[in-house]
Amino acid sequence: MFVSHIYMLAVIPRDLTEQNTSNISMSDNNIKRLSRLTAILTHLQTKRLITATELSDKFDISVRTIYRDIRALEEAGIPILTEEGKGYFLMDGYKIPPVMFTEREALSLITLEQIVLRMYDDSLKNEFSSAISKIKAVLKLYNKEKAEILSEKLFIGKNFENITKSSCLIDLQMALVNQQCVKIFYETLDGKESERIIEPFSFYHNPEDNWLLAAFCRLRNDFRVFRIDKITRLFLVNDKFEPHQITMKQFVEKYL
């Protein structure tokens, strides 16, 4: 289950709790619906907007059933709002209790942790380590023990050729999501330093363990790809940029 049992009971629709009151255990169908309701609530928490069609595709049920589920959550007091023609969203500031992870989910996170820790961007490792510590804090005791066992048994090989490090990946990601221009000082192929003002567009991690930044370069008036480990310094510029109209597919076909 995704949320605490106490909280799950709080969002059980009346039609699930009033039937078969003489029998403490709910039917399999009701348990499945309860699991789906909590999963829908989690999706609402993680996305700014989500449509009924997206939810019906996700759970392989009809849109009409999604409407009923949303109504059940609303009746349980969950502040779900609708943006006409766009989808559902949770009222700003509303939070659900901490998520609970299954054993398989916990092990997958531990594996991901080891992969991230082998990467060569210090900012990514530091932020992810902080996040994974918070996740580990909500694991059940038996999942914590198994996670520790797996952590000791994982070995992720490294590419020792041309190992380089960077420390600005998170800063660049923050600039991208906030549509903020960045001034970078970049080491060119001939060892010289080039100054650019860029508009971050996307990131790519190549097989050589290098993080690449695709960005619109105002100096060249076109998109360029930069190796992040070659960025020696960067500064956020007090200038916003408009979202780029080119799609990722179009960018890859043209520039990569």
Side-chain angles (χ1 to χ4, degrees):
M1 295 297 181
F2 290 89
V3 295
S4 67
H5 295 300
I6 294 176
Y7 182 74
M8 287 169 62
L9 290 173
V11 299
I12 296 177
R14 183 175 299 176
D15 63 326
L16 295 188
T17 56
E18 289 185 348
Q19 57 182 311
N20 299 325
T21 53
S22 61
N23 190 342
I24 295 178
S25 62
M26 292 188 294
S27 70
D28 288 344
N29 286 339
N30 286 344
I31 291 174
K32 287 179 181 178
R33 188 185 181 198
L34 180 55
S35 297
R36 188 175 70 244
L37 288 173
T38 57
I40 289 173
L41 187 53
T42 299
H43 279 283
L44 286 167
Q45 175 88 10
T46 56
K47 296 192 70 173
R48 190 180 68 84
L49 273 173
I50 189 164
T51 66
T53 301
E54 288 179 87
L55 290 170
S56 68
D57 290 342
K58 172 71 177 176
F59 298 105
D60 195 25
I61 56 177
S62 69
V63 171
R64 186 182 295 273
T65 300
I66 290 296
Y67 291 154
R68 287 198 294 266
D69 286 349
I70 292 293
R71 187 163 59 250
L73 289 170
E74 290 173 333
E75 290 174 353
I78 308 301
I80 300 174
L81 305 178
T82 304
E83 189 167 329
E84 194 65 33
K86 293 187 177 181
Y88 301 107
F89 64 99
L90 285 176
M91 180 183 293
D92 189 37
Y94 179 80
K95 299 293 182 184
I96 61 175
V99 294
M100 302 299 290
F101 295 95
T102 66
E103 182 178 319
R104 294 171 67 89
E105 290 169 339
L107 296 181
S108 69
L109 287 168
I110 296 304
T111 302
L112 180 60
E113 177 188 25
Q114 296 303 310
I115 293 173
V116 171
L117 291 178
R118 78 182 279 272
M119 294 181 175
Y120 303 122
D121 185 89
D122 290 336
S123 65
L124 177 63
K125 289 191 288 187
N126 291 339
E127 298 299 336
F128 189 83
S129 293
S130 175
I132 205 72
S133 294
K134 295 175 183 177
I135 291 173
K136 288 178 179 178
V138 301
L139 292 179
K140 294 180 180 178
L141 180 59
Y142 66 86
N143 279 342
K144 288 181 181 179
E145 293 171 347
K146 293 182 179 180
E148 289 174 1
I149 292 172
L150 179 63
S151 181
E152 295 172 356
K153 298 295 184 180
L154 277 175
F155 174 76
I156 308 295
K158 291 185 177 181
N159 170 26
F160 288 102
E161 296 182 8
N162 302 317
I163 289 180
T164 56
K165 286 191 174 183
S166 60
S167 59
C168 58
L169 177 62
I170 297 297
D171 288 332
L172 291 167
Q173 290 176 339
M174 290 288 290
L176 184 152
V177 299
N178 290 300
Q179 297 168 18
Q180 189 162 6
C181 295
V182 182
K183 177 189 285 188
I184 64 170
F185 294 85
Y186 188 76
E187 182 183 334
T188 60
L189 291 175
D190 57 6
K192 296 180 180 179
E193 189 174 67
S194 175
E195 179 181 333
R196 312 282 183 93
I197 292 182
I198 61 170
E199 302 172 4
F201 174 70
S202 65
F203 298 91
Y204 171 63
H205 187 259
N206 67 16
E208 288 74 39
D209 275 331
N210 295 314
W211 277 103
L212 305 179
L213 165 68
F216 184 84
C217 176
R218 291 188 172 181
L219 177 65
R220 304 301 182 193
N221 197 34
D222 198 2
F223 284 96
R224 291 290 186 269
V225 177
F226 303 92
R227 270 182 53 173
I228 292 180
D229 60 288
K230 297 298 183 181
I231 297 176
T232 57
R233 291 173 290 158
L234 68 79
F235 302 94
L236 296 179
V237 177
N238 189 24
D239 189 12
K240 298 280 189 176
F241 61 87
E242 293 296 320
H244 301 102
Q245 298 305 308
I246 186 172
T247 66
M248 278 297 298
K249 183 175 183 295
Q250 292 169 337
F251 179 86
V252 170
E253 290 174 349
K254 184 174 181 179
Y255 294 97
L256 294 182

